[in-house]
Amino acid sequence: MSYKKKLSEILTFLKFHLFLQVVIAVALGILVGILAPKFAVDLRLIATIFIRFIKMVISPVVFVSIILGVCSHSKHGGVGKLAFKTIVYFEIMSIIAVVLTFAFMLFFQPGVGFNITAFQGVDISKFKPKEGSKGGFTEFITHMVPENVFATLAGDNLLAVIVLAVVFSIAILQMKNNDKILQFFQMSNDVFFKMIGMISRISPIAAFGAIAATVGQQGVQSLVMLGYFIIVLGISMVAFWIILYIVGRVYGFDPLKLMRHIKEEMSIAFGTSSSESVFPQLMNKLESFGCSKKVVSFVLPTGYAFNLDGTAIYVTAGALFIQQAYNIPFGLNEFFILLVTILIVSKGAAGITGAGFVTLSAILAAMPNHIIPIEGLALLLGIDRFMSDARVVTNIIGNTIGTVLIAKSEGEFAQKKTR
């Protein structure tokens, strides 16, 4: 009786701790990959099904999220200077984060050792620009323009979906009585978030299949390569933290004091793997640190919506890792298009629950000609949850330091004594 009770308690505990489920699933997947490699390779089907579920909701979620984001931020029309300064600062820091990650990924090249084409017989020619395609900036811009409203929403051209959403948002804002239509989109947004939550519940099973197939197909060496990728990703994030620290010192405050001030919120976010879980507390802590309520109430929500630096670093590293693993040749045009796609799509998808993996999926789907295969996400599926906490912490560091910097530049900061 006590044995059954103990087992029931363990199962109940696991039910509410997705991270532990993923850890156990990954461990079992590695074991299966080592002991039964042929069987393990067939388990890739599980990861493929999971990725298809993710692809199913990408376009509608991005479309609705952008509409709500644009329409909600229009209410802050009276803070034009603050809004301009906030957007410029966050955009500059996003570019720095992405370019920095590009540099580390191209220098260390953690995905080169996989060479997926040798194992799967993948024809990389289908991931090259189509015959007759000129490529470059002109084609990239053309690819962004939607041809048909319904076809765009039903298709897989995410850049066109983003443009359509922006145009749709402007049209809604020009309507005098738009409350009902915005309420409809808010309700739709809630439904899609529920769907993503449901899909996320099967992520441990998908992680099991993905890591088992990877180990079964490429051996234990694949774990070393994935570990190498995590290290390079960590180096990129630490380097970005150092840049944020330097910027803070230039503006005359010590970011380490701020980190000590919000250490409890950071630990909660790390444990829950969600920066949203501490949003109200962070607003209070930033005010008690010395930022004015006016700045905090605008800058922090804007940062949460459009400045997830940790997510930007992760999706950049993930996209390049898959490109390297599939041994897809990239020239300057392709690298430039990937850079611009990341900067655009990561803003549009920043409000999505489970932003890291879903946003990476969205970026691969948005690339013209789908030059980086979205199927490559299966390589990262098994380790995605382990990188989530680092993304969350980096997001919080970037947004809180940004809020203090903008408050100081606006003369809306008065340093208060903190423990």
Side-chain angles (χ1 to χ4, degrees):
M1 194 68 181
S2 59
Y3 170 75
K4 289 183 178 180
K5 185 179 179 181
K6 191 68 176 178
L7 181 60
S8 176
E9 290 176 353
I10 293 173
L11 292 175
T12 302
F13 179 79
L14 288 175
K15 180 180 178 180
F16 296 101
H17 291 78
L18 191 62
F19 179 74
L20 289 178
Q21 294 177 30
V22 173
V23 171
I24 294 172
V26 168
L28 291 174
I30 292 172
L31 193 62
V32 171
I34 295 173
L35 299 178
K38 291 184 179 180
F39 170 72
V41 171
D42 294 333
L43 294 176
R44 188 176 297 277
L45 174 64
I46 302 174
T48 301
I49 292 172
F50 179 80
I51 291 170
R52 288 181 71 89
F53 272 124
I54 291 292
K55 288 172 65 177
M56 174 183 70
V57 296
I58 288 175
S59 291
V61 167
V62 171
F63 181 73
V64 173
S65 295
I66 290 176
I67 289 174
L68 293 176
V70 172
C71 291
S72 65
H73 278 78
S74 68
K75 298 176 183 178
H76 297 280
V79 288
K81 180 184 174 184
L82 177 62
F84 177 77
K85 187 178 293 186
T86 299
I87 292 171
V88 169
Y89 170 79
F90 282 152
E91 194 60 37
I92 290 173
M93 296 313 295
S94 293
I95 292 172
I96 291 174
V98 172
V99 171
L100 188 69
T101 309
F102 256 91
F104 283 115
M105 287 297 296
L106 294 178
F107 179 78
F108 291 107
Q109 298 191 329
V112 169
F114 267 99
N115 193 17
I116 295 295
T117 56
F119 288 90
Q120 293 182 289
V122 176
D123 179 14
I124 64 170
S125 63
K126 66 180 179 180
F127 302 125
K128 295 179 181 179
K130 295 178 181 178
E131 189 175 343
S133 171
K134 295 180 181 180
F137 188 71
T138 302
E139 185 171 317
F140 179 77
I141 294 297
T142 304
H143 190 73
M144 291 176 63
V145 181
E147 293 183 271
N148 179 293
V149 172
F150 298 104
T152 298
L153 290 174
D156 55 5
N157 182 356
L158 201 68
L159 289 176
V161 172
I162 292 173
V163 173
L164 178 62
V166 172
V167 175
F168 207 87
S169 302
I170 294 172
I172 291 175
L173 291 173
Q174 291 179 353
M175 297 172 62
K176 292 183 178 179
N177 300 315
N178 58 17
D179 291 341
K180 289 185 178 180
I181 191 168
L182 288 177
Q183 185 179 12
F184 166 76
F185 280 112
Q186 184 59 60
M187 292 171 66
S188 301
N189 194 52
D190 293 341
V191 172
F192 287 125
F193 278 7
K194 286 290 185 182
M195 290 176 65
I196 292 177
M198 291 165 58
I199 295 170
S200 298
R201 296 306 304 176
I202 65 172
S203 61
I205 300 173
F208 165 77
I211 201 72
T214 301
V215 174
Q217 192 171 64
Q218 303 196 41
V220 180
Q221 178 64 22
S222 61
L223 298 178
V224 177
M225 301 302 297
L226 290 171
Y228 185 31
F229 168 69
I230 293 175
I231 291 173
V232 175
L233 181 67
I235 291 172
S236 301
M237 289 191 178
V238 171
F240 185 69
W241 296 348
I242 293 173
I243 290 175
L244 286 173
Y245 177 80
I246 293 172
V247 173
R249 297 298 294 184
V250 170
Y251 269 78
F253 89 99
D254 185 359
L256 292 180
K257 286 185 178 179
L258 175 62
M259 295 304 104
R260 287 193 291 269
H261 188 60
I262 62 171
K263 62 180 184 297
E264 292 179 1
E265 287 70 26
M266 289 180 67
S267 63
I268 293 172
F270 186 86
T272 60
S273 193
S274 170
S275 55
E276 285 81 4
S277 63
V278 293
F279 178 74
Q281 300 96 308
L282 283 177
M283 293 191 72
N284 292 332
K285 281 295 185 71
L286 284 169
E287 289 181 37
S288 65
F289 189 71
C291 300
S292 70
K293 187 176 184 65
K294 170 190 171 184
V295 171
V296 173
S297 62
F298 177 79
V299 178
L300 191 63
T302 302
Y304 262 66
F306 297 106
N307 184 56
L308 301 181
D309 294 318
T311 301
I313 291 172
Y314 167 73
V315 298
T316 303
L320 288 173
F321 180 79
I322 294 171
Q323 176 258 328
Q324 293 169 4
Y326 276 80
N327 197 25
I328 300 170
F330 258 39
L332 287 177
N333 275 345
E334 287 75 26
F335 281 122
F336 175 75
I337 289 172
L338 176 60
L339 173 65
V340 176
T341 302
I342 290 171
L343 291 175
I344 294 174
V345 177
S346 62
K347 294 290 183 284
I352 299 173
T353 301
F357 197 78
V358 178
T359 305
L360 178 55
S361 307
I363 286 167
L364 299 188
M367 284 290 289
N369 301 326
H370 304 294
I371 193 168
I372 301 178
I374 196 169
E375 293 79 9
L377 289 170
L379 293 174
L380 300 177
L381 185 54
I383 60 172
D384 175 74
R385 188 59 180 77
F386 297 99
M387 297 178 284
S388 178
D389 293 331
R391 292 199 300 261
V392 167
V393 170
T394 304
N395 291 338
I396 289 177
I397 292 174
N399 285 325
T400 52
I401 289 179
T403 302
V404 174
L405 293 181
I406 293 170
K408 286 183 69 69
S409 70
E410 286 285 296
E412 298 278 351
F413 180 82
Q415 181 74 63
K416 298 178 181 180
K417 290 183 179 181
T418 57
R419 292 182 180 179

